[in-house]
Amino acid sequence: MQNQSSRRQFLGATAALVSGAMLGSSKLFGAPAIIRSLDKPNSLIGGVQIGVITYSFRDMPDQSAEATLQYVLDCGISAIELMGGPAESFAGAPKNPVNMQVLFPLMRKRRENQPLTADEEKMVADADVQTKAYRSELAKWRLSAPMAKFEQVRKLYNKAGVTIYGFKPDAFSIQNTDADINYGMQAAKALGANQVTVEHPANDAQTLRLGKLAEKHGLRVGYHGHEQQTPTFWDTALAQSTGNAMNFDLGHYVAAGQPDPLDLIRQKHTRIASMHIKDRQLPANGKGNLPWGQGDTPLLQVLKLMRDQKYNFPATVELEYKVPAGSNAVAEVKKCVDFCRNALS
Protein backbone atom coordinates (compact mmCIF):
# COMPACT_ATOMS: atom_id res chain seq x y z
CA MET A 1 0.00 0.00 0.00
CA GLN A 2 2.96 2.30 0.65
CA ASN A 3 4.14 1.86 -2.95
CA GLN A 4 0.62 2.60 -4.21
CA SER A 5 0.50 5.76 -2.07
CA SER A 6 3.90 6.85 -3.33
CA ARG A 7 2.76 6.29 -6.91
CA ARG A 8 -0.29 8.47 -6.37
CA GLN A 9 1.81 11.21 -4.74
CA PHE A 10 4.17 11.14 -7.71
CA LEU A 11 1.30 11.34 -10.18
CA GLY A 12 -0.31 14.16 -8.23
CA ALA A 13 2.93 16.12 -8.15
CA THR A 14 3.53 15.50 -11.86
CA ALA A 15 0.02 16.63 -12.73
CA ALA A 16 0.56 19.82 -10.73
CA LEU A 17 3.81 20.51 -12.59
CA VAL A 18 2.13 19.95 -15.93
CA SER A 19 -0.74 22.26 -14.95
CA GLY A 20 1.77 24.95 -14.07
CA ALA A 21 3.72 24.45 -17.26
CA MET A 22 0.51 24.79 -19.27
CA LEU A 23 0.19 28.38 -18.16
CA GLY A 24 3.32 29.18 -20.11
CA SER A 25 2.99 26.88 -23.11
CA SER A 26 0.12 25.64 -25.26
CA LYS A 27 2.25 22.72 -26.49
CA LEU A 28 1.37 20.71 -23.38
CA PHE A 29 -2.36 20.96 -24.00
CA GLY A 30 -2.79 17.16 -24.23
CA ALA A 31 -0.65 16.34 -21.20
CA PRO A 32 -3.38 16.14 -18.53
CA ALA A 33 -5.10 13.27 -20.39
CA ILE A 34 -1.78 11.45 -20.59
CA ILE A 35 -1.15 11.98 -16.89
CA ARG A 36 -4.61 10.67 -15.99
CA SER A 37 -4.04 7.54 -18.09
CA LEU A 38 -0.87 6.77 -16.15
CA ASP A 39 -2.97 6.05 -13.07
CA LYS A 40 -5.07 3.41 -14.87
CA PRO A 41 -4.12 -0.26 -14.99
CA ASN A 42 -3.61 -1.95 -18.36
CA SER A 43 -3.40 -5.73 -18.61
CA LEU A 44 -4.33 -5.95 -22.29
CA ILE A 45 -0.95 -7.28 -23.38
CA GLY A 46 -0.15 -7.93 -27.01
CA GLY A 47 -3.87 -8.04 -27.72
CA VAL A 48 -4.47 -10.65 -25.00
CA GLN A 49 -6.67 -9.59 -22.11
CA ILE A 50 -5.10 -10.81 -18.89
CA GLY A 51 -7.61 -10.78 -16.06
CA VAL A 52 -7.99 -12.25 -12.61
CA ILE A 53 -10.74 -14.03 -10.75
CA THR A 54 -11.15 -12.26 -7.43
CA TYR A 55 -11.22 -15.66 -5.72
CA SER A 56 -7.44 -15.25 -5.96
CA PHE A 57 -7.66 -12.68 -3.14
CA ARG A 58 -9.67 -14.95 -0.82
CA ASP A 59 -6.93 -14.89 1.85
CA MET A 60 -6.83 -11.10 2.05
CA PRO A 61 -8.42 -9.72 5.23
CA ASP A 62 -10.92 -7.31 3.66
CA GLN A 63 -13.35 -8.81 1.15
CA SER A 64 -15.35 -5.65 0.45
CA ALA A 65 -15.89 -4.36 -3.09
CA GLU A 66 -13.64 -1.37 -2.38
CA ALA A 67 -10.78 -3.45 -0.97
CA THR A 68 -11.07 -5.98 -3.80
CA LEU A 69 -10.77 -3.17 -6.32
CA GLN A 70 -7.60 -1.98 -4.60
CA TYR A 71 -6.11 -5.49 -4.80
CA VAL A 72 -6.86 -5.55 -8.52
CA LEU A 73 -5.31 -2.13 -9.06
CA ASP A 74 -2.21 -3.05 -7.07
CA CYS A 75 -1.72 -5.96 -9.49
CA GLY A 76 -2.02 -3.69 -12.54
CA ILE A 77 -5.07 -5.58 -13.85
CA SER A 78 -7.72 -3.89 -15.98
CA ALA A 79 -10.40 -6.62 -16.35
CA ILE A 80 -11.76 -9.20 -13.93
CA GLU A 81 -14.05 -12.12 -13.16
CA LEU A 82 -15.77 -10.95 -9.97
CA MET A 83 -16.91 -13.37 -7.29
CA GLY A 84 -20.35 -12.76 -5.82
CA GLY A 85 -19.29 -11.75 -2.33
CA PRO A 86 -17.81 -8.27 -2.87
CA ALA A 87 -20.62 -7.07 -5.15
CA GLU A 88 -23.45 -8.59 -3.13
CA SER A 89 -22.14 -7.24 0.18
CA PHE A 90 -21.91 -3.78 -1.42
CA ALA A 91 -25.54 -4.18 -2.52
CA GLY A 92 -26.65 -4.97 1.04
CA ALA A 93 -26.88 -8.76 1.03
CA PRO A 94 -27.10 -10.58 4.38
CA LYS A 95 -23.70 -11.51 5.79
CA ASN A 96 -22.46 -15.03 5.23
CA PRO A 97 -21.91 -16.67 8.66
CA VAL A 98 -19.40 -19.13 7.19
CA ASN A 99 -15.72 -18.16 7.25
CA MET A 100 -14.89 -18.85 3.62
CA GLN A 101 -11.18 -18.27 4.19
CA VAL A 102 -11.25 -21.39 6.36
CA LEU A 103 -13.71 -23.34 4.23
CA PHE A 104 -12.13 -22.84 0.78
CA PRO A 105 -9.04 -25.02 1.52
CA LEU A 106 -11.26 -27.77 2.94
CA MET A 107 -13.51 -27.67 -0.10
CA ARG A 108 -10.46 -28.01 -2.31
CA LYS A 109 -9.22 -31.01 -0.33
CA ARG A 110 -12.62 -32.67 -0.63
CA ARG A 111 -12.79 -31.94 -4.37
CA GLU A 112 -9.35 -33.44 -4.88
CA ASN A 113 -10.31 -36.54 -2.83
CA GLN A 114 -7.80 -35.75 -0.09
CA PRO A 115 -8.76 -37.13 3.33
CA LEU A 116 -10.14 -34.68 5.89
CA THR A 117 -9.47 -35.01 9.60
CA ALA A 118 -12.40 -35.58 11.97
CA ASP A 119 -12.26 -31.92 13.01
CA GLU A 120 -12.22 -30.82 9.37
CA GLU A 121 -15.17 -33.07 8.57
CA LYS A 122 -17.11 -31.48 11.42
CA MET A 123 -16.20 -27.98 10.20
CA VAL A 124 -17.46 -28.81 6.71
CA ALA A 125 -20.66 -30.37 8.08
CA ASP A 126 -21.34 -27.34 10.29
CA ALA A 127 -20.65 -25.03 7.38
CA ASP A 128 -23.11 -26.99 5.21
CA VAL A 129 -25.87 -26.42 7.79
CA GLN A 130 -25.05 -22.72 8.11
CA THR A 131 -24.82 -22.35 4.34
CA LYS A 132 -28.26 -23.88 3.82
CA ALA A 133 -29.84 -21.37 6.21
CA TYR A 134 -27.83 -18.51 4.70
CA ARG A 135 -28.90 -19.42 1.15
CA SER A 136 -32.53 -19.29 2.22
CA GLU A 137 -32.04 -15.81 3.67
CA LEU A 138 -30.06 -14.72 0.61
CA ALA A 139 -32.76 -15.97 -1.77
CA LYS A 140 -35.32 -13.76 -0.04
CA TRP A 141 -33.02 -10.75 -0.31
CA ARG A 142 -32.38 -11.40 -3.99
CA LEU A 143 -36.09 -11.07 -4.82
CA SER A 144 -35.79 -7.31 -4.33
CA ALA A 145 -32.03 -6.76 -4.57
CA PRO A 146 -31.29 -3.21 -5.82
CA MET A 147 -29.72 -3.42 -9.28
CA ALA A 148 -28.69 0.22 -8.89
CA LYS A 149 -26.14 -0.93 -6.31
CA PHE A 150 -24.53 -3.29 -8.84
CA GLU A 151 -24.44 -0.42 -11.31
CA GLN A 152 -22.61 1.60 -8.65
CA VAL A 153 -20.02 -1.17 -8.37
CA ARG A 154 -19.56 -1.12 -12.14
CA LYS A 155 -19.09 2.66 -12.13
CA LEU A 156 -16.66 2.47 -9.20
CA TYR A 157 -14.53 -0.13 -10.98
CA ASN A 158 -14.80 1.46 -14.43
CA LYS A 159 -13.76 4.85 -13.07
CA ALA A 160 -10.60 3.22 -11.72
CA GLY A 161 -9.94 1.60 -15.12
CA VAL A 162 -11.24 -1.90 -14.37
CA THR A 163 -13.95 -3.64 -16.37
CA ILE A 164 -15.91 -6.64 -15.10
CA TYR A 165 -16.27 -9.30 -17.81
CA GLY A 166 -17.48 -12.15 -15.61
CA PHE A 167 -19.62 -12.55 -12.50
CA LYS A 168 -19.68 -15.65 -10.29
CA PRO A 169 -22.31 -15.46 -7.55
CA ASP A 170 -23.69 -18.55 -5.85
CA ALA A 171 -26.92 -18.32 -7.85
CA PHE A 172 -26.69 -20.87 -10.66
CA SER A 173 -26.72 -24.27 -8.95
CA ILE A 174 -29.33 -26.98 -9.44
CA GLN A 175 -30.98 -26.03 -6.14
CA ASN A 176 -31.37 -22.39 -7.21
CA THR A 177 -34.75 -21.20 -8.49
CA ASP A 178 -35.30 -19.45 -11.80
CA ALA A 179 -35.72 -16.27 -9.76
CA ASP A 180 -32.21 -16.75 -8.30
CA ILE A 181 -30.77 -17.33 -11.75
CA ASN A 182 -32.52 -14.33 -13.28
CA TYR A 183 -31.26 -12.20 -10.39
CA GLY A 184 -27.67 -13.36 -10.98
CA MET A 185 -27.86 -12.60 -14.68
CA GLN A 186 -29.48 -9.20 -14.14
CA ALA A 187 -26.76 -8.34 -11.64
CA ALA A 188 -24.10 -9.48 -14.12
CA LYS A 189 -25.48 -7.13 -16.76
CA ALA A 190 -25.65 -4.27 -14.25
CA LEU A 191 -21.96 -4.91 -13.50
CA GLY A 192 -21.18 -4.73 -17.22
CA ALA A 193 -20.30 -8.44 -17.53
CA ASN A 194 -20.81 -10.42 -20.73
CA GLN A 195 -20.77 -13.77 -18.95
CA VAL A 196 -21.59 -15.53 -15.70
CA THR A 197 -19.47 -18.44 -14.56
CA VAL A 198 -20.39 -21.55 -12.63
CA GLU A 199 -18.98 -24.96 -11.79
CA HIS A 200 -20.19 -27.46 -14.40
CA PRO A 201 -23.22 -29.16 -12.77
CA ALA A 202 -22.80 -32.51 -14.59
CA ASN A 203 -26.54 -32.33 -15.24
CA ASP A 204 -27.85 -31.90 -18.77
CA ALA A 205 -31.20 -30.49 -17.65
CA GLN A 206 -29.43 -27.79 -15.65
CA THR A 207 -27.10 -26.74 -18.47
CA LEU A 208 -30.10 -26.53 -20.80
CA ARG A 209 -31.97 -24.43 -18.24
CA LEU A 210 -29.04 -22.07 -17.69
CA GLY A 211 -28.28 -21.78 -21.39
CA LYS A 212 -31.83 -20.81 -22.32
CA LEU A 213 -32.03 -18.23 -19.52
CA ALA A 214 -28.66 -16.82 -20.60
CA GLU A 215 -29.99 -16.42 -24.15
CA LYS A 216 -32.88 -14.33 -22.80
CA HIS A 217 -30.46 -12.06 -20.97
CA GLY A 218 -27.97 -11.76 -23.83
CA LEU A 219 -25.21 -13.40 -21.76
CA ARG A 220 -23.15 -16.56 -21.85
CA VAL A 221 -22.72 -19.11 -19.07
CA GLY A 222 -19.09 -20.22 -18.78
CA TYR A 223 -18.91 -23.71 -17.27
CA HIS A 224 -15.81 -24.26 -15.18
CA GLY A 225 -14.17 -27.62 -14.73
CA HIS A 226 -11.48 -29.20 -12.60
CA GLU A 227 -9.81 -32.54 -13.20
CA GLN A 228 -13.00 -33.95 -14.71
CA GLN A 229 -12.33 -31.88 -17.85
CA THR A 230 -11.89 -33.86 -21.09
CA PRO A 231 -11.93 -32.80 -24.75
CA THR A 232 -15.67 -33.62 -24.86
CA PHE A 233 -16.56 -32.36 -21.36
CA TRP A 234 -18.58 -29.36 -22.60
CA ASP A 235 -20.02 -30.83 -25.82
CA THR A 236 -23.56 -31.48 -24.61
CA ALA A 237 -23.93 -28.04 -23.04
CA LEU A 238 -22.49 -26.32 -26.12
CA ALA A 239 -24.91 -28.17 -28.38
CA GLN A 240 -27.89 -27.25 -26.19
CA SER A 241 -27.64 -23.47 -26.44
CA THR A 242 -25.66 -20.58 -27.82
CA GLY A 243 -25.90 -19.24 -24.27
CA ASN A 244 -23.62 -22.02 -23.05
CA ALA A 245 -19.85 -21.66 -23.23
CA MET A 246 -16.61 -22.81 -21.63
CA ASN A 247 -14.79 -21.40 -18.63
CA PHE A 248 -11.82 -23.61 -19.50
CA ASP A 249 -9.24 -24.27 -16.78
CA LEU A 250 -5.89 -24.85 -18.44
CA GLY A 251 -4.03 -25.97 -15.31
CA HIS A 252 -6.63 -28.48 -14.15
CA TYR A 253 -6.82 -29.91 -17.68
CA VAL A 254 -3.08 -30.59 -17.61
CA ALA A 255 -3.25 -32.08 -14.09
CA ALA A 256 -5.96 -34.44 -15.37
CA GLY A 257 -3.50 -35.79 -17.94
CA GLN A 258 -5.64 -34.80 -20.90
CA PRO A 259 -4.28 -34.49 -24.46
CA ASP A 260 -2.85 -31.34 -26.06
CA PRO A 261 -4.69 -28.34 -24.59
CA LEU A 262 -3.57 -26.12 -27.47
CA ASP A 263 -5.48 -28.32 -29.89
CA LEU A 264 -8.60 -28.11 -27.71
CA ILE A 265 -8.32 -24.31 -27.65
CA ARG A 266 -7.90 -24.15 -31.44
CA GLN A 267 -10.97 -26.32 -31.96
CA LYS A 268 -13.27 -24.61 -29.47
CA HIS A 269 -11.97 -21.05 -29.20
CA THR A 270 -15.24 -19.51 -30.40
CA ARG A 271 -17.07 -21.20 -27.52
CA ILE A 272 -14.57 -20.26 -24.80
CA ALA A 273 -16.00 -17.38 -22.78
CA SER A 274 -12.92 -17.17 -20.54
CA MET A 275 -10.00 -19.36 -19.50
CA HIS A 276 -8.43 -19.82 -16.08
CA ILE A 277 -4.66 -20.01 -16.10
CA LYS A 278 -2.40 -21.54 -13.46
CA ASP A 279 0.67 -23.80 -13.51
CA ARG A 280 0.04 -27.42 -12.53
CA GLN A 281 2.02 -30.59 -13.01
CA LEU A 282 1.13 -33.65 -15.05
CA PRO A 283 -0.14 -36.69 -13.11
CA ALA A 284 3.25 -38.41 -13.50
CA ASN A 285 4.87 -35.47 -11.70
CA GLY A 286 2.37 -35.25 -8.85
CA LYS A 287 -0.28 -32.78 -10.11
CA GLY A 288 1.22 -30.02 -7.95
CA ASN A 289 -0.01 -26.43 -8.13
CA LEU A 290 3.22 -24.46 -8.47
CA PRO A 291 4.52 -20.93 -8.93
CA TRP A 292 4.33 -20.09 -12.60
CA GLY A 293 7.12 -21.48 -14.74
CA GLN A 294 7.78 -24.43 -12.41
CA GLY A 295 4.94 -26.73 -13.51
CA ASP A 296 4.05 -28.59 -16.72
CA THR A 297 1.27 -26.31 -17.99
CA PRO A 298 2.12 -24.80 -21.41
CA LEU A 299 1.38 -21.26 -20.30
CA LEU A 300 3.84 -19.61 -22.70
CA GLN A 301 2.57 -21.55 -25.70
CA VAL A 302 -1.09 -20.89 -24.90
CA LEU A 303 -0.59 -17.17 -24.34
CA LYS A 304 1.34 -16.86 -27.60
CA LEU A 305 -1.34 -18.85 -29.41
CA MET A 306 -3.97 -16.40 -28.12
CA ARG A 307 -1.84 -13.47 -29.24
CA ASP A 308 -0.99 -14.85 -32.67
CA GLN A 309 -4.52 -16.06 -33.46
CA LYS A 310 -6.11 -12.93 -31.96
CA TYR A 311 -8.43 -14.91 -29.71
CA ASN A 312 -10.57 -12.45 -27.80
CA PHE A 313 -11.51 -14.40 -24.67
CA PRO A 314 -9.70 -13.31 -21.50
CA ALA A 315 -7.00 -15.36 -19.79
CA THR A 316 -7.93 -15.21 -16.12
CA VAL A 317 -5.24 -15.56 -13.46
CA GLU A 318 -6.37 -17.90 -10.69
CA LEU A 319 -3.95 -18.00 -7.79
CA GLU A 320 -4.01 -21.47 -6.25
CA TYR A 321 -0.40 -22.27 -5.41
CA LYS A 322 0.70 -21.80 -1.81
CA VAL A 323 1.57 -18.19 -1.03
CA PRO A 324 5.19 -18.10 0.23
CA ALA A 325 5.96 -16.89 3.73
CA GLY A 326 6.36 -13.12 3.80
CA SER A 327 4.25 -12.60 0.69
CA ASN A 328 0.53 -12.24 0.07
CA ALA A 329 -2.02 -12.92 -2.65
CA VAL A 330 -1.65 -9.48 -4.23
CA ALA A 331 2.12 -9.82 -4.60
CA GLU A 332 1.77 -13.31 -6.08
CA VAL A 333 -0.96 -12.35 -8.56
CA LYS A 334 1.26 -9.47 -9.67
CA LYS A 335 4.04 -12.01 -10.34
CA CYS A 336 1.60 -14.00 -12.50
CA VAL A 337 0.70 -10.87 -14.47
CA ASP A 338 4.41 -10.10 -14.93
CA PHE A 339 4.89 -13.66 -16.23
CA CYS A 340 2.19 -13.00 -18.83
CA ARG A 341 3.66 -9.62 -19.72
CA ASN A 342 7.08 -11.17 -20.31
CA ALA A 343 5.56 -14.00 -22.35
CA LEU A 344 3.65 -11.65 -24.61
CA SER A 345 6.17 -8.81 -24.96
Side-chain angles (χ1 to χ4, degrees):
M1 292 295 290
Q2 185 176 357
N3 290 340
Q4 187 74 5
S5 177
S6 298
R7 183 170 71 112
R8 286 178 178 150
Q9 290 170 1
F10 166 77
L11 290 168
T14 306
L17 287 171
V18 169
S19 298
M22 281 181 65
L23 297 175
S25 173
S26 60
K27 293 180 181 180
L28 288 175
F29 182 75
I34 296 171
I35 294 299
R36 283 196 297 273
S37 71
L38 289 176
D39 205 25
K40 304 277 187 182
N42 182 11
S43 58
L44 181 66
I45 307 166
V48 178
Q49 181 62 69
I50 303 300
V52 66
I53 181 169
T54 57
Y55 168 78
S56 299
F57 305 119
R58 61 196 175 278
D59 292 335
M60 299 300 288
D62 190 341
Q63 293 294 306
S64 67
E66 296 89 343
T68 299
L69 172 58
Q70 190 61 58
Y71 304 148
V72 173
L73 293 173
D74 288 347
C75 295
I77 292 173
S78 55
I80 63 169
E81 177 185 350
L82 181 64
M83 294 293 285
E88 290 186 315
S89 63
F90 185 93
K95 184 175 174 57
N96 189 349
V98 177
N99 185 339
M100 298 307 294
Q101 289 177 293
V102 173
L103 188 61
F104 275 137
L106 302 182
M107 291 167 63
R108 187 184 306 116
K109 285 180 70 174
R110 177 194 270 179
R111 189 169 59 238
E112 295 174 357
N113 296 316
Q114 298 179 30
L116 300 179
T117 66
D119 285 345
E120 288 174 336
E121 289 282 8
K122 185 177 185 308
M123 288 173 65
V124 170
D126 290 345
D128 286 344
V129 172
Q130 290 179 303
T131 297
K132 185 176 180 180
Y134 168 67
R135 280 179 174 158
S136 177
E137 186 181 0
L138 189 61
K140 292 176 184 176
W141 173 81
R142 285 170 170 167
L143 291 173
S144 58
M147 288 298 122
K149 284 290 188 179
F150 291 97
E151 292 172 2
Q152 285 181 33
V153 173
R154 183 193 75 231
K155 291 174 183 177
L156 175 69
Y157 279 56
N158 289 176
K159 185 176 181 181
V162 177
T163 59
I164 300 167
Y165 57 79
F167 186 45
K168 191 173 186 176
D170 182 18
F172 307 121
S173 300
I174 293 173
Q175 67 265 28
N176 287 111
T177 64
D178 283 0
D180 288 332
I181 295 167
N182 280 313
Y183 148 81
M185 293 185 177
Q186 288 169 355
K189 292 187 75 171
L191 289 166
N194 59 36
Q195 62 189 272
V196 297
T197 53
V198 63
E199 302 301 315
H200 195 297
N203 182 292
D204 294 346
Q206 178 67 359
T207 54
L208 177 62
R209 176 191 182 205
L210 290 174
K212 293 303 181 184
L213 287 169
E215 287 180 37
K216 287 175 58 179
H217 287 280
L219 294 169
R220 291 204 287 178
V221 180
Y223 295 99
H224 184 254
H226 293 264
E227 290 180 32
Q228 81 273 42
Q229 293 176 128
T230 68
T232 59
F233 178 63
W234 296 269
D235 284 0
T236 298
L238 298 182
Q240 287 174 329
S241 169
T242 56
N244 285 335
M246 299 164 59
N247 178 227
F248 177 48
D249 193 299
L250 178 64
H252 292 326
Y253 188 85
V254 167
Q258 295 298 332
D260 185 10
L262 277 79
D263 187 53
L264 178 72
I265 293 169
R266 290 188 192 99
Q267 289 182 26
K268 299 187 185 292
H269 66 92
T270 61
R271 301 302 299 274
I272 299 175
S274 51
M275 176 180 67
H276 284 193
I277 49 177
K278 56 176 66 73
D279 200 353
R280 291 194 66 181
Q281 294 173 309
L282 290 162
N285 295 329
K287 298 185 179 184
N289 218 316
L290 302 178
W292 290 21
Q294 298 181 24
D296 299 316
T297 305
L299 289 167
L300 290 173
Q301 296 94 316
V302 167
L303 290 169
K304 289 177 179 178
L305 174 69
M306 292 178 67
R307 178 194 64 193
D308 296 344
Q309 296 301 316
K310 297 180 170 55
Y311 294 152
N312 59 12
F313 57 85
T316 308
V317 173
E318 183 176 24
L319 181 67
E320 287 202 303
Y321 66 80
K322 185 176 180 181
V323 174
S327 186
N328 63 24
V330 172
E332 296 307 309
V333 169
K334 190 175 185 303
K335 290 178 185 177
C336 296
V337 176
D338 289 343
F339 180 99
C340 296
R341 201 174 296 280
N342 290 334
L344 293 166
S345 61

